[in-house]
Amino acid sequence: MNSYFILEPEQVVADDLSHAIRAHDPKAIVRQFRSVDDVLVALQFITPKAVLANRDPSGFHVTALGQTLIAGGIPYAFLGAARENGMDGIKVLASPFTETTVAALLRDLSRSAGKSGR
């Protein structure tokens, strides 16, 4: 069973994203987190198929979370503005998102798993 992590402080956004992920992968286990520290703890026990984070992409690769995801080969993407998508290989789920855009992002992350760590 696939597991996904969402790092998002807004409950409504996290719930909508969870629903969209399950529309793409009905048996998915989607875990929601409000803080980076909680995600880092969970990563000690669970390796998700992907992590979607509401974080600033610039400099993310040198943060504790970024380094952990890269070292573990865990694909990740950011929630944010479409203009950030593709910059330096950054994957961004632009807001507002739909089930279709979430499914496309998850397919893209799945394809890139292990290639670049993103």
Side-chain angles (χ1 to χ4, degrees):
M1 206 171 301
N2 294 324
S3 178
Y4 298 89
F5 285 7
I6 298 171
L7 175 57
E8 169 57 59
E10 297 294 327
Q11 185 68 49
V12 172
V13 175
D15 288 345
D16 286 349
L17 187 51
S18 294
H19 173 76
I21 290 170
R22 286 190 196 99
H24 169 73
D25 186 352
K27 294 183 180 182
I29 296 171
V30 182
R31 291 178 171 84
Q32 299 178 10
F33 301 91
R34 302 287 171 264
S35 76
V36 170
D37 290 341
D38 290 342
V39 174
L40 290 170
V41 169
L43 286 169
Q44 294 175 27
F45 304 100
I46 301 165
T47 302
K49 185 169 183 175
V51 174
L52 304 178
N54 184 343
R55 288 288 173 264
D56 182 355
S58 64
F60 181 77
H61 65 285
V62 298
T63 66
L65 179 56
Q67 290 178 346
T68 301
L69 296 176
I70 291 166
I74 301 168
Y76 59 90
F78 300 95
L79 307 175
R83 72 182 183 288
E84 298 168 328
N85 200 21
M87 292 178 6
D88 298 324
I90 293 171
K91 296 186 186 329
V92 176
L93 178 62
S95 182
F97 56 82
T98 65
E99 289 179 4
T100 302
T101 59
V102 170
L105 175 69
L106 294 177
R107 283 190 299 273
D108 189 30
L109 288 173
S110 182
R111 281 192 302 271
S112 68
K115 291 180 184 175
S116 67
R118 291 187 189 173

